[in-house]
Amino acid sequence: MAKLDWFISFENLRELRRLCHWGPLIALGVIIICSIVAVLDSILWYWPLDSPGGSLNFLTLINWTVMILYNYFNAMFIGPGFVPLGWRPENAQDCRFLQYCKVCEGYKAPRSHHCRKCNRCVMKMDHHCPWINNCCGHRNHSSFTLFLLLAPLGCIHASYIFIMTMYTQLYNRISFGWNSVKIDMSLTRRDPAPIVPFGISAFAVTLFALGLALGTTIAVGMLFCIQMKVILRNKTSIESWIEEKAKDRIQYYQTGETFIFPYDLGSRWRNFRQVFTGSGAPEGDGIEWRLREGCHRYTLTVEQLKQKADKRVRSVRYRAVEDFSGACCPLTKGIRTFFTTPCTEEPRMKLQNGDLVLATRGLKHWMYGDKIFEGDLPPGKWLDCYLLL
């Protein structure tokens, strides 16, 4: 029992390390600033003990904060769910329909993808979110989406409080003369004096919190719309991208195939219930999935194998001519290289002079690919390059 307790404590401490990242620090900072300022401003504007409306306003504000933090930490610490290490299908013949993950030393279950940041194969992976420092996937998709819904709603309420507080406080401090308008921030007409003084610093903090709240409402609200769009189609962001590439592949090669996404159950409500259930846990175990009528359980994975084979055909082989440390912002490679670095958290490849790389796609200044060895591919033309991503 003591060993088990130690293991649980160790796991909990390891999960708490997710907070030590710029994403959660910024997200929690915005939540805390907006919540504290909104509470203090609501006391100035609509004192909760004076009327039922003030009490309702104050309790609603606290409720927003609690629900936002609850779903945020659920999305972060529950996680997306990972495919067991070394997983393989019960029927050995089904392995030919699946991709093999060298890192996890097992096959990728349907709808799963390997995350380089988490270093695991994630069940029904949607994306790796830096704001929760974790992947959004099978187990935490509902909590993550609820967070995206509640955060803008809470910010809208907080913004209203900020605006009303500034309006009422400034109105009480404005005096009109024949030729001038004066604002005395030290004057208050409220009797008794307010518990929280509203001076120039309080006005500046409220204005700053209003900017954070409005920005969060727009940015997070757009993410919520994107998530609901894919949920109602029973897809993930990655699967939407795979479906688009399937259409492009079929059109490019004129194969005459018809790709049908196998997990869209044909009803938005049924698709919605795959993620949001009465129990709070998503439907299914993350390995087996309900399918659209007429589809095979490996329809999507077979399409992924076809796209992977097509990517290998289109890939370009390169040979590095300079060493590269794999730094996120390579200062030693010149100002131009530094300022054209992609703004992503994807790992940079450490290279030495003469290393071989198979680039699968590229941007204007950077490329994406994998390091390979001389014997991995047949002889061919190698192009020299300086930096690879």
Side-chain angles (χ1 to χ4, degrees):
M1 181 62 70
K3 184 178 180 180
L4 179 61
D5 292 340
W6 174 87
F7 178 76
I8 293 174
S9 299
F10 175 75
E11 288 294 319
N12 292 339
L13 289 174
R14 189 172 65 176
E15 286 300 312
L16 287 175
R17 291 176 58 186
R18 293 191 181 277
L19 294 170
C20 302
H21 182 264
W22 64 264
L25 292 177
I26 294 176
L28 290 173
V30 171
I31 295 172
I32 292 171
I33 291 173
C34 291
S35 298
I36 292 177
V37 177
V39 168
L40 296 177
D41 281 1
S42 66
I43 293 174
L44 280 172
W45 167 60
Y46 209 174
W47 176 241
L49 300 182
D50 285 348
S51 64
S55 300
L56 180 61
N57 172 73
F58 191 81
L59 291 175
T60 303
L61 181 62
I62 298 299
N63 189 52
W64 286 130
T65 304
V66 172
M67 290 194 299
I68 289 170
L69 290 175
Y70 174 77
N71 285 283
Y72 179 82
F73 287 125
N74 268 353
M76 178 186 291
F77 294 125
I78 289 179
F82 300 108
V83 178
L85 295 173
W87 180 86
R88 55 184 60 239
E90 295 181 1
N91 186 354
Q93 295 181 352
D94 291 343
C95 292
R96 68 182 188 275
F97 301 124
L98 300 170
Q99 298 182 68
Y100 185 80
C101 179
K102 296 180 180 178
V103 178
C104 299
E105 298 181 342
Y107 288 89
K108 298 180 182 179
R111 310 192 78 175
S112 68
H113 302 273
H114 186 84
C115 175
R116 292 185 178 182
K117 298 295 294 184
C118 297
N119 204 31
R120 288 289 300 274
C121 286
V122 178
M123 295 178 178
K124 193 188 172 187
M125 179 179 174
D126 186 90
H127 67 289
H128 184 90
C129 179
W131 304 111
I132 63 173
N133 195 20
N134 208 339
C135 276
C136 174
H138 172 60
R139 294 179 59 194
N140 65 350
H141 205 171
S142 59
S143 297
F144 181 77
T145 307
L146 285 174
F147 165 72
L148 296 182
L149 170 64
L150 295 170
L153 293 178
C155 286
I156 291 172
H157 186 191
S159 299
Y160 182 73
I161 293 175
F162 298 149
I163 293 172
M164 292 305 299
T165 301
M166 288 189 292
Y167 170 77
T168 55
Q169 293 299 315
L170 289 177
Y171 180 81
N172 291 334
R173 290 165 168 79
I174 295 178
S175 59
F176 296 91
W178 286 104
N179 298 318
S180 63
V181 177
K182 296 181 179 180
I183 302 177
D184 186 359
M185 296 301 292
S186 64
L187 177 66
T188 177
R189 298 179 183 178
R190 181 171 173 175
D191 189 23
I195 298 175
V196 182
F198 191 85
I200 295 177
S201 58
F203 176 81
V205 171
T206 300
L207 194 61
F208 175 71
L210 176 62
L212 288 180
L214 293 177
T216 301
T217 301
I218 296 172
V220 179
M222 292 176 62
L223 291 176
F224 171 74
C225 293
I226 294 172
Q227 285 299 309
M228 284 306 302
K229 183 178 180 180
V230 296
I231 287 174
L232 293 177
R233 297 176 181 177
N234 202 7
K235 299 177 183 176
T236 64
S237 301
I238 294 177
E239 290 169 350
S240 296
W241 185 41
I242 292 173
E243 186 178 31
E244 290 298 320
K245 289 198 298 180
K247 295 177 182 178
D248 293 340
R249 182 187 63 81
I250 293 171
Q251 183 178 6
Y252 180 81
Y253 290 106
Q254 296 292 318
T255 61
E257 301 173 65
T258 301
F259 177 77
I260 300 175
F261 186 74
Y263 304 111
D264 186 348
L265 302 179
S267 166
R268 291 187 177 184
W269 173 247
R270 292 171 65 188
N271 292 337
F272 180 84
R273 294 291 294 176
Q274 287 273 293
V275 177
F276 298 95
T277 61
S279 63
E283 184 176 304
D285 59 358
I287 303 293
E288 300 287 341
W289 302 95
R290 292 172 61 188
L291 300 171
R292 186 170 183 169
E293 186 176 351
C295 290
H296 189 264
R297 62 178 299 190
Y298 296 119
T299 297
L300 186 65
T301 58
V302 169
E303 174 60 32
Q304 289 177 259
L305 289 173
K306 292 179 180 179
Q307 292 181 12
K308 191 172 183 179
D310 183 46
K311 188 195 307 187
R312 285 196 296 268
V313 172
R314 295 168 177 261
S315 299
V316 181
R317 289 168 284 180
Y318 289 88
R319 187 188 304 275
V321 297
E322 286 188 11
D323 294 345
F324 179 50
S325 64
C328 182
C329 299
L331 291 171
T332 59
K333 297 300 179 180
I335 299 297
R336 184 179 179 183
T337 302
F338 175 79
F339 282 106
T340 56
T341 301
C343 297
T344 66
E345 284 196 311
E346 294 184 79
R348 275 60 169 169
M349 190 184 301
K350 185 177 181 180
L351 294 174
Q352 293 181 346
N353 186 4
D355 282 347
L356 309 178
V357 176
L358 187 66
T360 56
R361 59 189 177 97
L363 301 176
K364 185 177 180 180
H365 301 286
W366 290 74
M367 287 172 285
Y368 296 76
D370 296 305
K371 190 184 297 186
I372 55 176
F373 299 96
E374 291 280 7
D376 289 346
L377 290 174
K381 184 178 179 180
W382 292 90
L383 302 179
D384 291 337
C385 67
Y386 286 92
L387 288 176
L388 292 168
L389 180 60

